[in-house]
Amino acid sequence: MNEVIHDFGIWSLLPPLVVVVTAIISKRSIEPLMIGSVVGYLMMDYKNFFGNTLNSLVRTIQDESLVWVILVCCLYGAIIHLMIQSGGAHAFGNYMLRYIKNRKSALLITWLMGIIIFVDDFLNALVVGSTMRKVTDSFNVPREKLAYIVNSTSAPVCVLIPISTWSIYIGKLIEDEQVVEKGQGFWGFVQTIPYNFYSWFAVFIVLAVIMGWIPDLGKMKLAEKRAKETGVLAPLGSGSLSQSATIDADIKKAKPTYFFIPLFVLIAATIATNIDALKGVTIAVIFTVVYYLYKKVLPYDKLFDGVVEGMKSMIFPLVILVMSYVLKNVGDEMGMTQYVIESLSNSVSKEYLATIVFVSLGLIAFATGSSWGIYAIAIPLVVPLAQVMGANIYLVLGAVVSSGILGAHACFYSDATILTATGTECDNIQHALTQLPYAIIASILAIICFLIFGFIL
């Protein structure tokens, strides 16, 4: 976590605002992040702008958490590429099509797969998106809807089922603030689950959309119209996030087990290594190469070329993620999160604290694409505030967690959005815009619940 170097107060909100507005106008991903970061560093010290910007980029690339994300994403890209290259994903799609007879069931299976693969949101977004494309394409489902379902069952599910990378990270932060005794961070996190209102609503609003209880809204309605009238499933700009791989194996001999077994090993290895996604995917990639060699699915050279190609397919989304980390550094150095939290401390009663925390941090998370970074800054500030005010600590922590999920789910350039767009081969800006009305509905319902429970508890 960066230390606050400047105190810009309300002006610290300007760089992320510039990013959001520029992204909506330009419908681009990388350039708005660059522009917002430039605005921030010009505001902080225009005389040393170039030096400060380069130093920030160097610090960002050296950030241990970003290095971890890059390694995990590259290896996820590799194993998914191998599953496609082997014909396993294709065989899985054909297998599913034997039993899925209509559009609604295809979407329901996608939703259920998103819930089943709960150990890590990156794994969820890439695997569910890339494997269900063939199935949903067969029923003329626009990629925007597939992306919405996948994204809504990635990060939101990871904080509702406490065996995930998110639960370990947040539990450690809760433990560090002495909310629970040492070694009890997991149980501290579990007690926030009933109050993760945004996540609950995000997951079940998807089900309501699939069942037709909530209609297609805004740009989602236009995407459905495009798919129905023209047969074009992917919006413009989706090509840059394509993760397509050629099937080099004998397609007639490809089996669903070439998909299922590596996926099972990936999930099992991640859980067995104490929910360490990096160790889990490393074991899974090694296993998959050996397994495919043993089964003679692919020759040696094709396998290792596939590993490299899979890593290369992640370059564009990772560039976006690097720039989102730079923007997060700008916010940290300008004191944005601290400003928002401290502004609340003297003007909010305990009954409204959870609501205000969710709204304010949710807007920051939406504007910056940061979730875990916000948790690292906000939890040490919010916990003492809630204790002094006499607010229910787990309700307030639930609001903090929900705000980060809002950012991961709804932000145009968050890691969850980018990886969902990559897995589903859908432009991330169009994906974010089509799911935004549903994110707003989930946010409004969450606000109502935080208000009600703020008075009850």
Side-chain angles (χ1 to χ4, degrees):
M1 183 178 71
N2 291 343
E3 294 182 2
V4 177
I5 299 174
H6 306 274
D7 184 6
F8 276 82
I10 194 170
W11 290 104
S12 62
L13 302 175
L14 182 60
L17 180 62
V18 168
V19 175
V20 172
V21 172
T22 307
I24 293 172
I25 294 172
S26 67
K27 296 181 173 60
R28 303 279 293 179
S29 302
I30 296 176
E31 297 90 327
L33 290 166
M34 291 180 174
I35 293 169
S37 299
V38 165
V39 168
Y41 282 111
L42 283 173
M43 289 172 66
M44 282 187 277
D45 187 359
Y46 68 90
K47 292 181 181 179
N48 298 309
F49 163 72
F50 288 107
N52 289 340
T53 304
L54 290 174
N55 288 337
S56 176
L57 188 58
V58 170
R59 286 199 311 275
T60 299
I61 294 173
Q62 293 174 338
D63 187 305
E64 288 185 9
S65 62
L66 179 59
V67 172
W68 185 89
V69 168
I70 290 172
L71 290 172
V72 169
C73 289
C74 283
L75 289 171
Y76 277 160
I79 195 169
I80 290 168
H81 188 97
L82 289 176
M83 288 192 290
I84 296 172
Q85 190 181 20
S86 70
H90 179 83
F92 168 77
N94 287 337
Y95 176 80
M96 295 297 290
L97 285 170
R98 294 180 193 175
Y99 303 97
I100 297 174
K101 301 302 181 183
N102 57 57
R103 198 174 194 267
K104 184 178 291 185
S105 60
L107 298 178
L108 280 172
I109 292 296
T110 304
W111 183 73
L112 288 172
M113 277 192 68
I115 294 173
I116 291 168
I117 304 177
F118 55 79
V119 293
D120 184 73
D121 56 322
F122 291 2
L123 169 64
N124 186 308
L126 289 169
V127 169
V128 179
S130 60
T131 55
M132 291 305 293
R133 281 199 312 263
K134 176 181 174 63
V135 176
T136 55
D137 284 357
S138 300
F139 294 100
N140 216 34
V141 176
R143 293 287 175 78
E144 292 96 324
K145 179 159 283 186
L146 172 62
Y148 164 57
I149 296 171
V150 171
N151 199 351
S152 300
T153 52
S154 57
V157 168
C158 287
V159 295
L160 297 179
I161 301 177
I163 308 174
S164 69
T165 50
W166 288 68
S167 65
I168 290 177
Y169 176 72
I170 297 169
K172 182 65 169 59
L173 292 175
I174 292 173
E175 186 180 311
D176 289 345
E177 293 308 306
Q178 300 180 347
V179 176
V180 293
E181 294 180 6
K182 191 171 181 61
Q184 297 296 308
F186 171 83
W187 297 109
F189 174 81
V190 167
Q191 293 184 72
T192 71
I193 292 175
Y195 308 118
N196 290 336
F197 295 126
Y198 180 85
S199 302
W200 287 110
F201 286 121
V203 172
F204 286 103
I205 284 173
V206 174
L207 179 61
V209 171
I210 293 171
M211 298 304 294
W213 303 331
I214 296 177
D216 295 321
L217 302 171
K219 287 186 174 291
M220 189 71 80
K221 188 173 184 179
L222 296 177
E224 285 282 7
K225 183 179 180 182
R226 182 198 68 231
K228 182 178 180 180
E229 294 180 355
T230 68
V232 176
L233 302 182
L236 291 175
S238 299
S240 58
L241 286 163
S242 173
Q243 203 193 27
S244 291
T246 56
I247 300 174
D248 293 325
D250 186 345
I251 192 66
K252 294 180 181 179
K253 295 181 180 179
K255 301 177 181 178
T257 51
Y258 299 162
F259 167 79
F260 282 121
I261 292 178
L263 179 60
F264 173 79
V265 170
L266 176 55
I267 295 173
T270 303
I271 294 173
T273 55
N274 199 24
I275 318 295
D276 189 319
L278 181 55
K279 290 179 182 177
V281 71
T282 301
I283 292 168
V285 169
I286 294 170
F287 169 84
T288 303
V289 170
V290 174
Y291 172 61
Y292 285 174
L293 283 172
Y294 172 74
K295 286 290 187 178
K296 298 180 180 179
V297 176
L298 291 165
Y300 175 89
D301 58 336
K302 289 285 187 182
L303 271 174
F304 283 91
D305 286 346
V307 170
V308 174
E309 288 299 317
M311 291 181 175
K312 285 166 59 178
S313 72
M314 299 303 296
I315 289 176
F316 185 79
L318 285 173
V319 170
I320 298 174
L321 289 182
V322 168
M323 289 310 304
S324 71
Y325 270 69
V326 173
L327 181 69
K328 174 190 170 296
N329 287 345
V330 170
D332 291 349
E333 292 177 24
M334 296 179 79
M336 178 174 60
T337 304
Q338 287 88 334
Y339 161 73
V340 172
I341 295 294
E342 289 167 8
S343 299
L344 301 176
S345 59
N346 297 322
S347 58
V348 178
S349 65
K350 64 179 182 180
E351 291 83 4
Y352 294 101
L353 181 60
T355 304
I356 299 300
V357 164
F358 171 69
V359 172
S360 57
L361 294 182
L363 289 173
I364 292 174
F366 174 78
T368 62
S370 174
S371 297
W372 286 24
I374 281 180
Y375 295 156
I377 297 172
I379 289 177
L381 296 172
V382 166
V383 167
L385 181 61
Q387 291 171 335
V388 168
M389 296 177 68
N392 184 289
I393 191 68
Y394 293 108
L395 176 65
V396 175
L397 284 171
V400 176
V401 176
S402 287
S403 69
I405 296 300
L406 169 59
H409 182 216
C411 177
F412 298 178
Y413 39 84
S414 70
D415 47 14
T417 297
I418 297 302
L419 295 177
T420 297
T422 302
T424 58
E425 296 188 1
C426 175
D427 176 69
N428 63 294
I429 300 297
Q430 294 305 313
H431 158 46
L433 289 172
T434 47
Q435 79 171 2
L436 189 58
Y438 307 104
I440 291 172
I441 293 172
S443 298
I444 292 171
L445 293 173
I447 289 169
I448 293 170
C449 287
F450 284 122
L451 280 170
I452 293 171
F453 279 83
F455 282 92
I456 292 175
L457 299 178

